Amino acid sequence: MAARPTWQGHLKLSLVTCPVALYTATASNAHVSFHLINPETHNRIRMVPTDPDTGPIERSDLVKGYEVAKDEYVLFDDADFDKVKLETTRTICIDSFVDEDEIDRLYWDDPFYVVPEKGVGAEAFAVIRDAMKSAGKIAIGTLVLRGRERQLALEVRGKGLVAYSLRAHDEVRPAEDYFDDIPSVKADKDMVEIASRIIAQKETDFDPTDFKDRYDEALREMVKAKQKGGKSVVEAPEPDDTNVIDLMEALRNSLKGSATDAKPKKKAAAKKKPTTRKTAA
């Protein structure tokens, strides 16, 4: 069954526009999820909206309210939201182009596939896509999505585009608020050299298929065990903190272990333009 688009509208570059759809590029429905159950009755709990004065109320009868003072709200229904009509409500407006490494990685957020609608719009989409590819830049645009206007970074990927929503500046907390209290410590030169050798031994190519969610797998095993009436407990000891006295010894032992366990490095493939997104450090 084909995925349903998250958003449908137009992509606009100056006077060139084409109809497009956004599809969420990631999925989380494969993970183990739980429902709330009453252990006495084994009934699944239903979250019922309740008015403290009148009791339960249907969710479809509710409206949204913005609190302007304590217990005082300005009410909004769907018709009110429809009255806020910006160009970016139905159009991804490309405003500018930047180098990819100019965008701090802290600002990158959710990815979406941008796909042209079938028909005459496909040619206009190809013109925008190929022009972006030729320029080698990231397009910066804006779009109203999920109840707020968001800035987007769009890049060419294959025959389509990928749009990443960007976090607003005031959503990113300053690193200094957390890093300034880190004590200034001069690392021992020999220890740094050993740690660098450990890093070199563990160097490999990034392959996202290598990662398996072991916590999710452990939960699935526990589900199976409980289905059979047994009990399953997964335990892992927490590592002890490394103190200053045995830090050098820990590094030396790590270096030996890394040499034994190191995976063979993958052979470098023929050079070609990467398809994965690089971001600034």
Side-chain angles (χ1 to χ4, degrees):
M1 184 174 174
R4 299 179 66 178
T6 300
W7 176 91
Q8 288 178 289
H10 286 79
L11 176 65
K12 180 181 179 182
L13 173 61
S14 190
L15 299 179
V16 180
T17 62
C18 60
V20 296
L22 294 188
Y23 295 86
T24 304
T26 58
S28 58
N29 55 0
H31 299 298
V32 174
S33 59
F34 296 91
H35 300 289
L36 291 176
I37 305 294
N38 182 344
E40 301 296 328
T41 64
H42 288 186
N43 290 330
R44 179 176 167 181
I45 298 302
R46 181 186 171 202
M47 298 299 184
V48 181
T50 303
D51 185 302
D53 294 328
T54 63
I57 183 172
E58 289 296 325
R59 191 174 295 274
S60 58
D61 294 332
L62 300 177
V63 297
K64 294 182 179 179
Y66 181 83
E67 189 171 14
V68 293
K70 184 172 176 57
D71 297 330
E72 185 179 340
Y73 301 88
V74 175
L75 303 183
F76 286 78
D77 58 20
D78 291 341
D80 292 318
F81 290 107
D82 289 339
K83 293 175 185 176
V84 183
K85 295 186 181 297
L86 301 178
E87 183 183 15
T88 52
T89 303
R90 301 298 303 163
T91 304
I92 301 172
C93 298
I94 297 177
D95 305 314
S96 59
F97 293 87
V98 301
D99 290 329
E100 189 176 33
D101 58 8
E102 287 186 21
I103 307 174
D104 192 307
R105 279 187 295 182
L106 284 171
Y107 291 94
W108 294 94
D109 205 352
D110 298 327
F112 299 88
Y113 293 130
V114 185
V115 180
E117 297 289 353
K118 293 180 180 179
V120 294
E123 183 177 5
F125 180 86
V127 169
I128 296 173
R129 178 199 63 206
D130 292 352
M132 287 176 56
K133 185 175 182 180
S134 176
K137 298 283 187 177
I138 297 293
I140 301 297
T142 47
L143 170 68
V144 174
L145 185 66
R146 295 170 180 165
R148 51 177 291 205
E149 190 173 45
R150 297 168 182 265
Q151 195 170 43
L152 298 179
L154 298 97
E155 68 174 2
V156 176
R157 179 170 297 224
K159 295 193 295 182
L161 299 173
V162 178
Y164 296 88
S165 60
L166 298 176
R167 297 182 179 94
H169 178 70
D170 57 5
E171 291 179 339
V172 178
R173 294 171 176 169
E176 309 83 63
D177 292 352
Y178 303 89
F179 295 165
D180 281 355
D181 290 336
I182 298 176
S184 298
V185 177
K186 186 173 179 59
D188 181 271
K189 183 175 63 175
D190 293 335
M191 293 186 185
V192 172
E193 194 275 331
I194 295 176
S196 298
R197 287 164 61 188
I198 296 172
I199 292 171
Q201 288 178 349
K202 291 180 175 290
E203 183 181 347
T204 185
D205 296 324
F206 175 68
D207 183 355
T209 62
D210 286 342
F211 175 74
K212 305 295 181 185
D213 187 342
R214 294 178 297 166
Y215 188 81
D216 194 79
E217 291 175 351
L219 286 175
R220 292 182 189 278
E221 290 301 317
M222 189 175 290
V223 169
K224 291 179 182 177
K226 284 180 172 288
Q227 278 182 308
K228 296 176 181 177
K231 293 183 179 180
S232 177
V233 179
V234 180
E235 293 182 347
E238 186 172 341
D240 295 327
D241 291 334
T242 304
N243 60 46
V244 176
I245 297 174
D246 61 10
L247 179 55
M248 178 62 86
E249 190 63 26
L251 285 167
R252 286 172 175 155
N253 290 334
S254 297
L255 184 61
K256 294 175 185 176
S258 297
T260 304
D261 302 334
K263 295 180 181 178
K265 293 183 181 179
K266 299 177 183 178
K267 292 183 179 179
K271 287 188 177 180
K272 60 181 180 180
K273 188 169 183 179
T275 56
T276 53
R277 170 171 62 85
K278 299 182 209 171
T279 49

